Amino acid sequence: GFSQVGAESGWRTANTDSIKGEAAKRGIELKFADAQQQQENQIKAIRAFIAQGVDVIAFSPKVETGWEPVLKEVKAAGIPVVLTDRAVTVSDPSLYVTFIGSDCVEEGRRAGAWLAKKTGGKAVIAELVGTSGSSPAIDRKKGFAEVLAKNPGMKIVKSQSGDFTRAGGKQVMEAFLKSPDAKQLTALFAHNDDMALGAIQAIEEAGLKPGKDIVIVSIDGVKGAFEAMVAGKLNCTVECNPQIGPQLFDLIEKVAAGQKVPERVAVEEGVFDETQAKAELPNRKY
Ligand code: AHR
């Protein structure tokens, strides 16, 4: 049984395709539930998986907290849990077997380091935060803040959640740009590409040039971000690889067979900026 967060971004769609595709390739019966961005729906789906007697439950938790009761029910039913993409905070680490996903603190650090280099350590930054309480939003903010702590000329003056969606990114950026002190903004850090793409629209509608008047760095590495870089509207994307189906099912098969697996499995990722975008665009699969 797999409980997906929703379909909030290009990243998520690619992640779902990778998981469904890999299950089909291996002949694994996958019970897939889309929670439409609601934690309650994920909890309901997990309970349904218990009732159906699945062999393994995997899920990408919308937020970090609130999982302990349902995970205790899964444990009592003797079903192993594999977390994917997003982490949970629980007092009992035996409530899940393993976690496979990106190092989102490192992604935040990479975004910050790129911006520091690009701006010579001087930037007045607006931040579009991902879904409140989700591990990538918490971790990316943390990694980025580590870089700011070493660069006193860089500061975040506006920060708000755009919920990892394009519409959310556009709406929040519009509000940022309408504020009396908007003129001081020189940079944007968006926790994902979809929010950056929404913000680009807002910046253009405000009569400014995204990628020039406001330097933009975001995270994910979706095709749309590469197209925006080629068009000179986005400056850098830090890769967060959604195509983890093969690695996920390697783990699931081992867990189902009762084999020992590492507590955490990382995903390999890179950083791409405007100078590499044109050459890399044909290689992007999502
Ligand atoms: O959890 C991964 C994040 O969720 C991706 O960066 C974002 O695009 C998605 O919605």
Side-chain angles (χ1 to χ4, degrees):
F2 184 85
S3 165
Q4 181 59 289
V5 182
E8 74 283 1
S9 62
W11 187 99
R12 187 67 54 197
T13 306
N15 182 245
T16 293
D17 290 348
S18 174
I19 290 164
K20 285 184 174 172
E22 191 62 24
K25 202 163 135 193
R26 294 183 189 216
I28 290 174
E29 187 190 342
L30 178 68
K31 294 188 187 298
F32 183 92
D34 177 341
Q36 299 180 347
Q37 294 269 82
Q38 301 297 325
Q39 183 177 28
E40 311 85 81
N41 290 345
Q42 291 202 285
I43 293 172
K44 269 188 216 152
I46 292 169
R47 293 202 168 116
F49 296 150
I50 300 175
Q52 289 158 351
V54 299
D55 297 312
V56 177
I57 291 175
F59 74 111
S60 179
K62 183 189 172 198
V63 290
E64 277 193 355
T65 55
W67 301 102
E68 202 119 5
V70 73
L71 287 179
K72 282 185 179 152
E73 292 169 38
V74 181
K75 191 177 175 188
I79 301 173
V81 171
V82 175
L83 297 178
T84 166
D85 161 39
R86 297 186 182 180
V88 298
T89 307
V90 283
S91 56
D92 173 5
S94 78
L95 290 176
Y96 63 90
V97 183
T98 180
F99 167 87
I100 171 172
S102 307
D103 180 343
C104 292
V105 179
E106 179 57 23
E107 290 170 353
R109 272 187 215 118
R110 288 177 179 176
W114 181 86
L115 190 62
K117 198 165 170 214
K118 173 82 177 173
T119 62
K122 280 196 177 52
V124 181
I125 307 161
E127 181 186 32
L128 285 170
V129 178
T131 298
S132 305
S134 69
S135 64
I138 294 166
D139 291 351
R140 288 169 185 171
K141 190 174 186 57
K142 190 172 165 217
F144 193 81
E146 281 178 21
V147 177
L148 296 201
K150 292 184 206 136
N151 288 276
M154 293 170 79
K155 56 178 179 185
I156 294 177
V157 293
K158 303 207 173 291
S159 178
Q160 201 179 309
S161 173
D163 209 14
F164 279 135
T165 67
R166 203 176 280 221
K170 181 167 190 270
Q171 202 186 338
V172 175
M173 193 68 202
E174 274 166 1
F176 285 168
L177 291 169
K178 276 186 193 139
S179 66
D181 54 350
K183 281 205 170 73
Q184 60 171 333
L185 292 177
T186 61
L188 170 68
F189 168 42
H191 287 198
N192 81 342
D193 289 339
D194 275 71
M195 291 191 295
L197 294 171
I200 286 172
Q201 265 181 279
I203 294 167
E204 286 182 320
E205 284 170 20
L208 295 168
K209 288 197 172 68
K212 294 187 180 67
D213 296 328
I214 297 180
V215 174
I216 307 173
V217 56
S218 63
I219 296 178
D220 274 355
V222 300
K223 231 180 216 161
F226 280 81
E227 286 160 358
M229 282 196 286
V230 171
K233 298 180 180 186
L234 177 79
N235 305 88
C236 179
T237 184
V238 174
E239 190 178 35
C240 176
N241 183 4
Q243 297 181 305
I244 54 179
Q247 270 180 294
L248 174 64
F249 280 100
D250 281 349
L251 260 186
I252 287 175
E253 289 193 331
K254 283 189 186 140
V255 167
Q259 291 171 22
K260 218 174 149 32
V261 292
E263 271 168 36
R264 189 178 171 122
V265 178
V267 180
E268 298 245 317
E269 287 151 352
V271 177
F272 299 90
D273 74 4
E274 51 212 332
T275 62
Q276 300 147 295
K278 202 170 172 195
E280 177 60 18
L281 182 55
N283 305 327
R284 301 311 290 176
K285 303 244 168 2
Y286 59 95

